[in-house]
Amino acid sequence: MKDYLRAELTSALQALSYPAVDLIFDKPKVAAHGDLTTNCALMLAKQVGANPRQVAQAIVDVLKLDAARIAAVDIAGPGFINFRFAETAVFDNAKKILVEGPTFGRSAFGAKRKTNIEWVSANPTGPLHAGHGRQVILGAALANILEWTGFDVTREYYFNNAGNQMRNLGESVYARYRQELGDEYLMPENGYQGDYIKGIAHTIVEEFGDSKRAPDDDKELFTKHGEQWCFDAIKKTLATLGVKHDVFYNEDSLYKTGKITEVVEEFKKRDLAYEAEGAVWFRATALGLESDRVIVKSTGEPTYRLPDIAYHREKFRRGFELVIDIFGADHIATIPDVLAGVRALGYSTDNVKVIIHQMVAFLKGGAIVKMSKRDANGYTLDDLIAEVGVDAVHYFFVMRGANTQLDFDIDLAKQQSDSNPVYYLQYAHARIASILRFAAEAGFDLSDSKRFAETTNLTLLSSKEELDLLKLLADFPAALKNCAESYEPHRLTLYLREVAEAFHRFYHEHRVISEDKTLMQSRVALCLMAKTVIGNGCAVLNVHAPEKM
RNA sequence: GCACCCGUAGCUCAACUGGAUAGAGCACCAGCCUACGAAGCUGGGGGUUGCGUGUUCGAAUCACGCCGGGUGCACCA
């Protein structure tokens, strides 16, 4: 419908020889204002030098709209042009929901653009903590949204199993191993304090006894055991949440294939790298940044920036046209350097979208729960899932914009689970499922929704509640597109809540099951459509849509 | 000190990217079950959108300055 109006308005503007403007259609907040509105007259008024209402009138006079699609056009307020849909168009549009069923909502908006979305990317030095949850959920939802809107999505996890952190892990496991054997042995200064380290050490004692007691410089056995345990734990948590990655990209491969030294050489060639104080520096100031940065330490080891630059370049080399990174606010400082580096290598970073999410504070018993991995009492994502459940974890983390500092009150999420927004949505779905069971008993064959659609007369749906719901349901593809355009999954939860609300209101006002079989069929169809949209929306958000609860 | 993010109802957050009367949930008050799920519905109170100046037909949204909170500012990642 928007496309139709856009085309008609564009030619109207041409006919009036008005300048072309970026046409924006909004859904008015107030229903009395119609189904769609545009502010183009307001935007044109200044350029044309006329009062906005006159401009709007001129446009409306020239517009020749198909009465089968648009029932009314009027000018309101300071110069908005409001459109009201013809009911036949609403019904035709809505039938698509039944025809498309589980794929309703999918669109070709993304035009199969090759997209890489990288997130989580926690190194295997410990289990995921609760704070990671926000990123885990955000990325999973966004990846689904992009897939539904026609992007060719690769889900990626980037990790590093070498270097300082892993050395530290190995030392920590070794220390716990010695302690387990009864030796006096101190943990390294910044060692990982979590209890899971003791668990790892314990398995090594069980397997090797005290045969690994002799200090061994590289602690490889301890590091390997630690890495394996941690990665298993991380993957298990992701699996519990139903979050899948297509590619686990090991930073180490960048070294083995020489991609790291390649970047240093290229920087040197372009005078973007120099040696000083025994280290190699990236001349970021030449690219307009605050200060130069070390990319290779005096020990010969690169800092994280260098592999990150090489990694991002590889993403482009692998053919990705859109590169999405999801980071917590604590990593924000690294982004400008990496992007500058990638640009310096000749790649445009216009197609890199970095999504930053703010930190989450978990409150329990009125106090902030500590989450540091080095803290023995770290609150893990597994702990959170165990307390509030998988669906609540998904829904709560995705229902707020990424840029808000979120307070997650665990006590509240548990205690008030009845009035939890995720249940509101799931309840609507279960309620519909229950009605449809009645309908099936009453003899309606819902097994083929496409055929069901063909034999249903939707024009019997004439009340405000029915039409409001119908229009809202038909908006689902647009809602997904809106999320994809803005990279903001939380808007989907807002939309789905509106759907559930519109359904409950309809349900309250009208009986589905009735003697009038024709009317009943129309309303059964409406229920089926609502169930389809809620079900599809839940699938995008990785939330279960229960038949009963 | 510098950079980035945020500040909206008692609390947690929206507001379709500059639009019409700033909206939901929780909490509070008052109603609604002899028919399909009351985990629901209807109504009510609650706001100087942190403060100020500016930009324009129009600002929660943009700019500048304060105030308050968060996150960074490593030869850690």
Side-chain angles (χ1 to χ4, degrees), chain A residues 154-220:
Chain A
T154 297
R155 296 164 171 83
E156 191 149 313
Y157 186 123
Y158 176 66
F159 70 99
N160 178 14
N161 59 353
N164 267 339
Q165 287 189 28
M166 298 308 292
R167 218 162 18 240
N168 193 3
L169 177 71
E171 295 287 354
S172 302
V173 174
Y174 179 70
R176 291 298 187 206
Y177 169 76
R178 292 291 300 269
Q179 290 170 5
E180 173 110 359
L181 293 176
D183 297 345
E184 291 270 338
Y185 196 93
L186 290 178
M187 281 289 276
E189 202 166 324
N190 288 316
Y192 294 99
Q193 301 288 342
D195 287 343
Y196 65 95
I197 299 288
K198 292 179 189 166
I200 298 165
H202 184 73
T203 63
I204 297 174
V205 172
E206 284 186 333
E207 193 175 343
F208 298 98
D210 64 355
S211 67
K212 301 294 173 186
R213 176 180 258 144
D216 154 12
D217 282 342
D218 58 8
K219 308 275 189 314
E220 200 188 327

Side-chain angles (χ1 to χ4, degrees), chain A residues 96-106 148 449 476 532 535-537 539:
Chain A
K96 280 201 297 202
I97 302 171
L98 293 178
V99 173
E100 295 176 20
T103 64
F104 177 70
R106 289 192 183 266
W148 272 69
S449 65
F476 181 53
T532 302
N536 291 1

Side-chain angles (χ1 to χ4, degrees), chain A residues 186-364:
Chain A
L186 290 178
M187 281 289 276
E189 202 166 324
N190 288 316
Y192 294 99
Q193 301 288 342
D195 287 343
Y196 65 95
I197 299 288
K198 292 179 189 166
I200 298 165
H202 184 73
T203 63
I204 297 174
V205 172
E206 284 186 333
E207 193 175 343
F208 298 98
D210 64 355
S211 67
K212 301 294 173 186
R213 176 180 258 144
D216 154 12
D217 282 342
D218 58 8
K219 308 275 189 314
E220 200 188 327
L221 173 82
F222 299 93
T223 307
K224 280 291 153 211
H225 269 74
E227 177 191 341
Q228 192 165 40
W229 186 92
C230 292
F231 233 141
D232 284 350
I234 290 169
K235 286 177 179 173
K236 206 175 130 210
T237 305
L238 292 174
T240 303
L241 290 167
V243 174
K244 295 187 188 79
H245 288 84
D246 304 307
V247 178
F248 281 82
Y249 198 99
N250 190 343
E251 181 182 320
D252 204 36
S253 66
L254 294 167
Y255 294 88
K256 291 196 172 124
T257 54
K259 297 293 195 296
I260 303 288
T261 47
E262 194 183 329
V263 169
V264 177
E265 290 312 311
E266 281 186 53
F267 277 175
K268 282 185 176 165
K269 219 185 302 172
R270 292 165 202 236
D271 196 29
L272 287 169
Y274 61 91
E275 294 189 26
E277 302 163 45
V280 181
W281 295 68
F282 173 39
R283 201 186 298 281
T285 50
L287 302 167
L289 297 183
E290 286 281 312
S291 56
D292 292 348
R293 303 290 187 179
V294 170
I295 49 176
V296 182
K297 297 186 247 178
S298 52
T299 60
E301 283 179 283
T303 64
Y304 67 88
R305 282 172 232 270
L306 182 51
D308 272 10
I309 291 169
Y311 174 47
H312 277 77
R313 192 238 293 252
E314 285 314 301
K315 287 184 186 173
F316 283 115
R317 282 182 168 170
R318 287 158 65 197
F320 291 108
E321 300 158 292
L322 176 62
V323 170
I324 298 174
D325 294 328
I326 301 184
F327 291 127
D330 53 339
H331 283 64
I332 197 165
T334 78
I335 294 155
D337 297 335
V338 173
L339 292 185
V342 174
R343 268 195 299 275
L345 293 170
Y347 291 86
S348 164
T349 48
D350 291 348
N351 297 321
V352 179
K353 175 72 189 170
V354 181
I355 293 163
I356 310 279
H357 67 86
Q358 299 300 313
M359 300 287 100
V360 186
F362 293 89
L363 304 170
K364 199 174 177 182

